[in-house]
Amino acid sequence: MIAVALAAAAATSGAFAQSSVNVYGRLNVTVERQKAGDADAEWRLQDNSSRIGFKGVEDLGGGLKAGFQIEHGFNAASGAAASTFWGRQAEVNLGGAFGLVRLGTFTSEAYFATADYVSMHNHDTGTSSDALYASNWNHNKKVAYRTPNMGGFVAELGVTEANLAGDRGIDLAANYDNGPLHVGFGYDKRGDSKQFAVAAAYGFGAFTLGGYVQRDTDLSGAGSRTNLRLSGMYTVGATELHVNFGKAGDVGNLKDSGAAQFTAGVNYNLSKRTKVYGFYTKLNANDNTPYADDFSSLAVGVRHNF
């Protein structure tokens, strides 16, 4: 009787706002033959940023909406947590005609506007992810404002809580989308460490081409460098053919400190949510590079989104 009464009240009272909650996630696992440095090659079952999340929104009326998103990363190969629970994202937000205000923990939109957007093969996850982009910027304890969509242009500014050194993180992203064209800009700064990148992607027929250029002062303060990446995709039916190449220059005046990465892959989409795929990726790191060691992997896997 109580349940019936509450349902009737919700149906007849304007004080009850409309709300919804969605569950989403990704399971992405590969079998890989990996070789790192001078070590012997090994076969591994590799997780590729599997995740589960909850996303909700409540319509408050008058164009005002409240929302939340929490997301947890886990290792689908072992079942273990990948990091702190809800460490991938935990935010509450309030939006309307004025835009969107976000509070919590979430990745810099500068990354999504540039490096992530052009990483078309495996959504920048696993061993074939971009090893050269300067990342891990300004993630925790953040307040951000996103503009409304203005003819395809959207910008976002985020500020993080100061660290022990008293430095606040700042990130800025801008996106312009017009049909098959995407142009993105990203900027991050905390203390003396900073980066900015410009990206573009364009689709024509069965082809999509993209790339970005990044200039950064790395997190260790070793100096500045320029990093670029080019990527391409050709689609025929349910099959996608991918290739991308990245090149990082020397860091400051440190000779022989650059690196290069090449990846070729093929995806076969069994449905909109499920694909089987394979790839080969190789990272060549010079002797003094502060970013990574030589690495290669030949992989086959399955990815399912829900």
Side-chain angles (χ1 to χ4, degrees), residues 8-29:
T12 58
S13 174
F16 284 83
Q18 298 297 312
S19 64
S20 64
V21 177
N22 294 318
V23 182
Y24 68 93
R26 173 178 64 208
L27 291 134
N28 192 357
V29 182

Side-chain angles (χ1 to χ4, degrees), residues 38-100:
D38 296 328
D40 293 336
E42 295 183 344
W43 286 95
R44 295 185 179 274
L45 192 64
Q46 177 75 40
D47 177 72
N48 298 266
S49 298
S50 296
R51 63 185 181 180
I52 185 169
F54 298 83
K55 185 176 183 179
V57 61
E58 181 182 19
D59 190 341
L60 302 173
L64 189 65
K65 294 182 179 181
F68 78 91
Q69 186 169 355
I70 52 176
E71 185 174 298
H72 171 62
F74 63 94
N75 187 325
S78 67
S83 62
T84 304
F85 216 78
W86 309 127
R88 286 179 61 96
Q89 189 164 354
E91 72 165 273
V92 63
N93 53 65
L94 193 64
F98 59 86
L100 184 71

Side-chain angles (χ1 to χ4, degrees), residues 23-279:
V23 182
Y24 68 93
R26 173 178 64 208
L27 291 134
N28 192 357
V29 182
T30 47
V31 177
E32 304 190 14
R33 186 180 187 273
Q34 302 176 0
K35 180 173 174 55
D38 296 328
D40 293 336
E42 295 183 344
W43 286 95
R44 295 185 179 274
L45 192 64
Q46 177 75 40
D47 177 72
N48 298 266
S49 298
S50 296
R51 63 185 181 180
I52 185 169
F54 298 83
K55 185 176 183 179
V57 61
E58 181 182 19
D59 190 341
L60 302 173
L64 189 65
K65 294 182 179 181
F68 78 91
Q69 186 169 355
I70 52 176
E71 185 174 298
H72 171 62
F74 63 94
N75 187 325
S78 67
S83 62
T84 304
F85 216 78
W86 309 127
R88 286 179 61 96
Q89 189 164 354
E91 72 165 273
V92 63
N93 53 65
L94 193 64
F98 59 86
L100 184 71
V101 176
R102 310 170 67 193
L103 300 92
T105 291
F106 41 93
T107 302
S108 169
E109 287 296 317
Y111 163 73
F112 291 119
T114 56
D116 179 77
Y117 197 95
V118 304
S119 296
M120 295 176 281
H121 160 59
N122 200 19
H123 295 278
D124 204 31
T125 65
T127 57
S128 64
S129 62
D130 188 340
L132 306 178
Y133 179 82
S135 58
N136 296 325
W137 298 78
N138 307 334
H139 184 75
N140 297 322
K141 300 180 180 180
K142 183 188 297 187
V143 176
Y145 167 71
R146 180 183 299 170
T147 69
N149 190 315
M150 299 173 287
F153 176 82
V154 178
E156 181 166 327
L157 173 66
V159 179
T160 65
E161 185 178 291
N163 58 19
L164 294 177
D167 298 321
R168 295 186 184 278
I170 297 174
D171 56 75
L172 175 65
N175 294 275
Y176 176 72
D177 292 280
N178 185 356
L181 174 66
H182 168 82
V183 179
F185 169 80
Y187 172 80
D188 295 277
K189 184 180 187 303
R190 186 189 288 273
D192 294 329
S193 297
K194 58 186 176 182
Q195 73 85 23
F196 68 88
V198 178
Y202 187 77
F204 51 99
F207 291 92
T208 302
L209 300 177
Y212 72 82
V213 178
Q214 181 188 47
R215 181 71 174 171
D216 75 87
T217 300
D218 71 72
L219 298 178
S220 65
S224 299
R225 57 134 209 192
T226 300
N227 169 35
L228 63 87
R229 183 165 294 267
L230 299 174
S231 62
M233 176 177 69
Y234 176 75
T235 302
V236 51
T239 302
E240 302 168 0
L241 302 177
H242 293 264
V243 63
N244 67 73
F245 175 77
K247 175 69 174 178
D250 286 344
V251 181
N253 296 320
L254 183 62
K255 298 296 184 181
D256 203 24
S257 58
Q261 183 182 20
F262 170 80
T263 301
V266 55
N267 297 345
Y268 184 77
N269 296 291
L270 299 169
S271 70
K272 291 183 178 180
R273 296 178 176 272
T274 304
K275 73 173 183 180
V276 292
Y277 65 99
F279 66 79

